[in-house]
Amino acid sequence: TVAAPALAQTMPEIKWRMASSFPKSLDTIYGGGEFVAKRVAELTDGKFQIRVFAGGEIVPGLQVLDAVQQGTVECGHSVAYYYVGKDPTFAFEAAMPFGLNARQNNAWLYHGGGLELVREFYKDYNVINFPAGNSGTQMGGWFRKEIKSVKDLDGLKMRIAGIAGRVLTKLGVVPQQLAGGDIYPALEKGTIDAAEWVGPYDDEKLAFYKVAKYYYYPGFWEGGPTFSCYVNLEQWDKLPKVYKEAFATACAEATLDMQAKYDVQNITALKKLAAGGTQLRPYPKDVMVAAQKAAFQLYDEIAKENPKFAKIYGPWKSFRSDIQLWWRVAEFSFDQFVLTNPVK
Amino acid sequence: TVAAPALAQTMPEIKWRMASSFPKSLDTIYGGGEFVAKRVAELTDGKFQIRVFAGGEIVPGLQVLDAVQQGTVECGHSVAYYYVGKDPTFAFEAAMPFGLNARQNNAWLYHGGGLELVREFYKDYNVINFPAGNSGTQMGGWFRKEIKSVKDLDGLKMRIAGIAGRVLTKLGVVPQQLAGGDIYPALEKGTIDAAEWVGPYDDEKLAFYKVAKYYYYPGFWEGGPTFSCYVNLEQWDKLPKVYKEAFATACAEATLDMQAKYDVQNITALKKLAAGGTQLRPYPKDVMVAAQKAAFQLYDEIAKENPKFAKIYGPWKSFRSDIQLWWRVAEFSFDQFVLTNPVK
């Protein structure tokens, strides 16, 4: 037959390593990388195999971008805001405080010009990025004492990182950098006053409610964070076209799947937390107002000195304002009615 | 070589026809079927080809399920609520009035047990279904006169179909069945008083604003309708495993992609409509309250006499209530704040 050798050529056996930024204990987020690997194998009849390594197995979780950039691994699964220390521009792909919710971020990235802008930025890191997962709006963290107004944040030591930490600094918070496993003892001893992690599903497993009973919402710094797969550009260019399609579509499906999974998992976890005595509290309005103001002041400051940031900030801010116009009409009014008028 | 013949076997050339329920003029919805076809071809190196036919080309749009069931075509792209005349149970997959929003419907279908329940139901129709597209919350339709309270609906002739029509009948509305192309002249002549279609992007193209200036929201009967691909079960069973994976993942990506596309397209269309003098109006609270009450009364009535409906209604209603618990916390409070506190 003539066709067979051509097929064999287009589907060579390829083995890649994927460095995840996440521990296996964050099973839903870590699972996003595994989802991509499994789907790619299924789509290529097992010819394109990707093995996923948890954070720390090959490189530390916060060095996944570097490892992909340098070619230590062919690809990675991470979240862009881990790299805001290199450049705050990274935050646009993942989440900006008071930015877009999950669906709005998908709209911006896939059809609103966002992915093109972000990919241009990533080229300088020798990487092509694919959105691959979302958690939806995260929670606002665990507090040992109640927060009644923005004044209560003054001098408060909170485990929070990145741009969110910079925003909260403007409100008097003293951000602390702690790995996930170190949060519980620090809250217990009182060396920190508050800590943010993810949402009910992941937070419940770490039992923060035992050492900090107030659980605030929303996590206004993560309205709908997008996780990403990174691929080294030379490795990407070497892939057969059909494997590129398999990788891209698997990442897109991971975006949908992780979100659906979290939306289900958070229900049960929230019920458990409430039954265990966790006190759910909305952030006071003055905290939200002050934090949003601080966030956009910060963006304006960064945009003045960082042209890469400014290049994305302008269109991103316009898109945010535009999509909110539409959201206020059908989407929000539907949610608002059904959520405030429960059916027995 | 030993491998090549095996590969050739696993990737045979297959050609399918997909009957779409939609006209090409509904390009975003119709495009969902085309998206699946294109992705499947890309994922299989062009070996698995699906040709999409618009509604009416092979069978009328409302007979796509029947055509797939009988094997007239191998697959179809449609929306389940077109078939509530056969059995109202179909509506669960797509949209129930005052049901789930788009993300909640994804959560229910993909990880909340919904797809298993719905697929069991579809087996009686010799079909396997794949969610493949969502529009988000639709609009509540065009009205020639303002609706100030539920009394204004009494005797009102509205183009609206399916379960939504049955709900509105309980409020005095007289539902009318009209194809898309017949709506404009009927509104113009006043033979109908109101009509619902989709949302800003599709409605603007049909220029309803010229003959009915009040545009109501939200479309409470479609909080986030899921479109579907249907595959004839014998044809599905004959597919090589790798083609099954390609089809399934392409449908999932279509769900994400259509939503992102609509969320962007509706922005521009809404601005155009507003600039053209369209009067945007929220449905009065008493209409919403009466319609939700009527909807759940109807579901209770149907559940008493239809065991298939009852089997899905119970878990669906529990899921709805459960996910609303979680939504009220982080997700809704984030949206509410950013939407009601605009940044300059």
Side-chain angles (χ1 to χ4, degrees), chain A residues 16-19 21-22 36 61-69 73-84 86 90-91 93-94 118 121-122 125-132 226-233 235-236 247 251:
Chain A
W16 273 13
R17 299 193 302 171
M18 175 186 281
S21 283
F22 311 104
V36 171
L62 299 178
Q63 290 170 30
V64 164
L65 176 69
D66 309 77
V68 177
Q69 181 177 2
V73 288
E74 292 84 1
C75 65
H77 185 239
S78 191
V79 62
Y81 56 54
Y82 279 180
Y83 310 104
V84 293
K86 297 178 191 291
F90 278 104
E93 185 196 19
V118 168
F121 169 74
Y122 270 107
Y125 295 86
N126 195 35
V127 153
I128 180 169
N129 63 304
F130 297 85
T226 293
F227 297 88
S228 312
C229 279
Y230 296 146
V231 181
N232 176 283
L233 274 179
Q235 295 296 331
W236 180 251
F247 193 89
C251 287

Side-chain angles (χ1 to χ4, degrees), chain A residues 134-296:
Chain A
N134 203 305
S135 64
T137 306
Q138 297 196 359
M139 287 293 286
W142 298 84
F143 288 73
R144 286 161 52 94
K145 289 184 186 160
E146 215 170 344
I147 301 298
K148 294 188 174 165
S149 87
V150 71
K151 286 177 196 162
D152 294 335
L153 295 179
D154 196 41
L156 188 127
K157 289 184 206 157
M158 181 171 184
R159 185 267 177 196
I160 188 165
I163 286 200
R166 290 175 71 180
V167 169
L168 287 175
T169 299
K170 288 180 180 265
L171 274 58
V173 169
V174 186
Q176 311 284 312
Q177 308 272 359
L178 286 178
D182 299 331
I183 299 174
Y184 186 98
L187 274 176
E188 190 175 28
K189 284 177 204 151
T191 49
I192 60 173
D193 306 300
E196 69 93 31
W197 186 233
V198 183
Y201 178 70
D202 296 308
D203 292 12
E204 196 268 339
K205 287 186 287 182
L206 294 186
F208 297 136
Y209 59 92
K210 291 184 183 168
V211 287
K213 74 173 175 178
Y214 299 102
Y215 195 21
Y216 276 85
Y217 61 89
F220 48 77
W221 47 89
E222 295 184 72
T226 293
F227 297 88
S228 312
C229 279
Y230 296 146
V231 181
N232 176 283
L233 274 179
E234 286 89 46
Q235 295 296 331
W236 180 251
D237 289 340
K238 280 197 281 183
L239 276 190
K241 185 170 180 302
V242 70
Y243 289 10
K244 286 184 180 172
E245 300 293 347
F247 193 89
T249 202
C251 287
E253 191 180 1
T255 296
L256 183 74
D257 190 78
M258 188 195 292
Q259 182 67 82
K261 205 167 183 179
Y262 259 126
D263 283 340
V264 171
Q265 290 171 328
N266 281 329
I267 297 169
T268 316
L270 184 72
K271 284 182 177 177
K272 269 198 219 173
L273 288 169
T278 296
Q279 300 292 308
L280 281 164
R281 293 280 187 281
Y283 272 115
K285 179 83 187 276
D286 74 337
V287 169
M288 296 291 284
V289 168
Q292 181 170 263
K293 195 177 163 193
F296 281 82

Side-chain angles (χ1 to χ4, degrees), chain A residues 39 101 103 111 137 245 249 253 257 263 271 292 317 322 328-329 331 335 339 341 344, chain B residues 39 101 103 111 137 217 245 249 253 257 263 271 292 317 322 328-329 331 335 339 341 344:
Chain A
R39 226 12 165 186
N101 71 19
R103 216 176 94 185
H111 284 282
T137 306
E245 300 293 347
T249 202
E253 191 180 1
D257 190 78
D263 283 340
K271 284 182 177 177
Q292 181 170 263
K317 195 179 172 190
D322 277 351
R328 281 186 198 101
V329 179
E331 205 65 45
D335 281 352
L339 294 174
N341 292 273
K344 275 176 204 163
Chain B
R39 228 9 167 187
N101 70 20
R103 213 175 96 185
H111 283 282
T137 306
Y217 62 88
E245 300 293 346
T249 202
E253 191 180 1
D257 190 78
D263 284 341
K271 285 182 177 177
Q292 180 170 263
K317 195 179 171 190
D322 277 351
R328 281 185 197 102
V329 179
E331 204 65 44
D335 281 351
L339 293 174
N341 292 271
K344 275 174 206 165

